[in-house]
């Protein structure tokens, strides 16, 4: 059943309240308290939770664990209507399945021998789960992903990296976040006077925001990429689906 709430904040101290997330291995790092932690908390309260459009559904995750690290903030804008009739069998999908799904989606159509070469081991179990969950189908003997508009409900996937000091390090982390996010931002306490930092951010498509401006008031707008960008984009798709829906077994 779809929840009536418009925004969810998920962090290490409350993730256990979302019981269905345990099936998709969502882990969030316990934050280290300090000025950076306070900046993140204040930005979430003043600019993210309080800025919700009518009918908008979004989930805000703080420091989710990914292969590349722990982005400070990830905001997922989700279209519930797309997911309303998804199969309950998606509950059994795991990370390997999503890697294979993204490969099939990227390649348009794939035969089993190709998958066997790229994903050695018992990949057949993953294919069976993907078929059962209605995420892929066979067409002329090859696997194809179902139409994206039917199986992927994220409209925007935004990553924010916050830095009080070591802004260059923060920028590198924000660049790294572009591997899964459609938009990546660097959050700073003030606009940098260092034009080289701004130019580097611009060249890599990273936006820059400060603590007192919303995303639409960005000091430097990011490049907006198409989703899904990697299997992690699909992973957020499943995490948010689990968050917004309750299941009756």
């Amino acid at each position: 059943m779809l929840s009536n709430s418009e925004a969810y904040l998920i962090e290490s101290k409350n993730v256990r309240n979302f019981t269905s997330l345990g099936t998709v291995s969502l882990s969030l790092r316990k934050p280290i308290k300090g000025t950076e932690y306070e900046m993140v908390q204040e930005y979430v309260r003043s600019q993210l939770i309080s800025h919700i459009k009518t009918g908008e559904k979004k989930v805000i995750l703080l420091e989710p664990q990914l292969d590349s690290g722990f982005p400070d903030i990830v905001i997922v804008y989700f279209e519930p209507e797309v997911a309303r009739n998804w199969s309950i069998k998606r509950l059994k999908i795991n990370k390997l399945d999503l890697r294979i799904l993204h490969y099939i989606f990227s390649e348009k159509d794939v035969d089993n021998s190709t998958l066997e070469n790229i994903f050695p081991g018992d990949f057949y179990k993953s294919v069976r789960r993907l078929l059962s969950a209605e995420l892929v189908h066979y067409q002329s003997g090859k696997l194809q992903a179902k139409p994206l508009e039917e199986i992927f409900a994220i409209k925007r996937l935004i990553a924010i990296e916050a830095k009080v000091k070591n802004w260059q390090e923060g920028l590198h982390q924000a660049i790294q976040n572009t591997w899964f996010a459609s938009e990546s931002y660097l959050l700073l306490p003030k606009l940098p006077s260092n034009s080289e930092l701004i130019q580097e951010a611009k060249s890599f498509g990273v936006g820059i925001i400060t603590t007192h401006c919303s995303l639409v008031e960005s000091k430097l707008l990011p490049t907006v990429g198409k989703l899904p960008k990697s299997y992690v984009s699909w992973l957020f798709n499943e995490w948010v689906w689990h968050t917004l829906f309750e299941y009756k077994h």
Side-chain angles (χ1 to χ4, degrees):
M1 183 176 70
L2 183 63
S3 170
N4 291 324
S5 298
E6 292 186 319
Y8 291 84
L9 174 63
I10 304 178
E11 49 191 327
S12 61
K13 65 183 180 182
N14 75 343
V15 66
R16 291 184 180 180
N17 296 339
F18 300 90
T19 54
S20 66
L21 286 171
T23 63
V24 283
S25 304
L26 173 61
S27 177
L28 299 108
R29 183 169 62 179
K30 186 176 181 180
I32 300 172
K33 292 190 177 181
T35 53
E36 212 161 85
Y37 169 80
E38 292 171 0
M39 183 169 72
V40 167
Q41 290 290 320
E42 175 58 29
Y43 193 79
V44 169
R45 285 194 302 268
S46 65
Q47 302 298 339
L48 300 181
I49 294 294
S50 61
H51 288 67
I52 304 173
K53 296 179 181 178
T54 303
E56 185 176 76
K57 302 290 182 182
K58 67 181 176 183
V59 174
I60 302 163
L61 303 98
L62 301 188
E63 298 197 68
Q65 182 177 8
L66 307 177
D67 298 347
S68 55
F70 300 84
D72 289 317
I73 306 170
V74 177
I75 312 156
V76 185
Y77 291 84
F78 196 83
E79 180 50 64
E81 285 300 319
V82 174
R84 191 172 294 279
N85 296 316
W86 285 355
S87 170
I88 197 72
K89 294 181 180 178
R90 287 178 79 131
L91 287 169
K92 297 182 179 179
I93 295 297
N94 61 37
K95 287 184 178 181
L96 175 60
D97 302 344
L98 294 176
R99 287 181 185 272
I100 292 175
L101 173 60
H102 185 67
Y103 181 79
I104 294 170
F105 166 76
S106 301
E107 295 297 314
K108 309 303 182 188
D109 53 54
V110 180
D111 56 35
N112 285 336
S113 61
T114 301
L115 288 179
E116 189 172 19
N117 290 331
I118 297 173
F119 301 96
D122 194 4
F123 78 95
Y124 285 104
K125 288 183 178 179
S126 289
V127 171
R128 285 197 292 270
R129 282 191 293 268
L130 291 171
L131 287 165
S132 181
E134 302 175 7
L135 290 164
V136 301
H137 64 130
Y138 277 106
Q139 181 72 33
S140 302
K142 292 190 176 183
L143 280 164
Q144 294 180 349
K146 292 288 186 71
L148 190 64
E149 61 271 16
E150 296 178 10
I151 62 174
F152 192 82
I154 295 178
K155 300 306 177 187
R156 298 174 71 190
L157 181 52
I158 302 170
I160 300 177
E161 204 65 43
K163 280 294 177 185
V164 174
K165 299 178 181 179
N166 301 320
W167 293 358
Q168 191 69 43
E169 179 185 337
L171 176 58
H172 291 161
Q173 292 169 343
I175 293 169
Q176 197 170 41
N177 291 339
T178 61
W179 83 292
F180 69 88
S182 57
E183 301 157 64
S184 181
Y185 288 87
L186 176 61
L187 171 62
L188 303 174
K190 62 180 181 179
L191 187 66
S193 57
N194 182 352
S195 60
E196 290 183 5
L197 183 75
I198 296 175
Q199 287 304 314
E200 186 176 358
K202 186 175 182 180
S203 67
F204 282 97
V206 171
I208 294 179
I209 48 177
T210 59
T211 51
H212 301 294
C213 74
S214 67
L215 295 179
V216 296
E217 299 167 333
S218 171
K219 304 302 182 182
L220 175 66
L221 290 171
T223 300
V224 179
K226 285 188 175 182
L227 292 171
K229 299 192 77 176
S230 68
Y231 95 92
V232 175
S233 305
W234 293 96
L235 192 54
F236 277 104
N237 192 57
E238 301 309 301
W239 283 340
V240 172
W241 179 55
H242 282 242
T243 302
L244 293 179
F245 286 79
E246 296 174 1
Y247 301 105
K248 295 181 181 179
H249 300 277

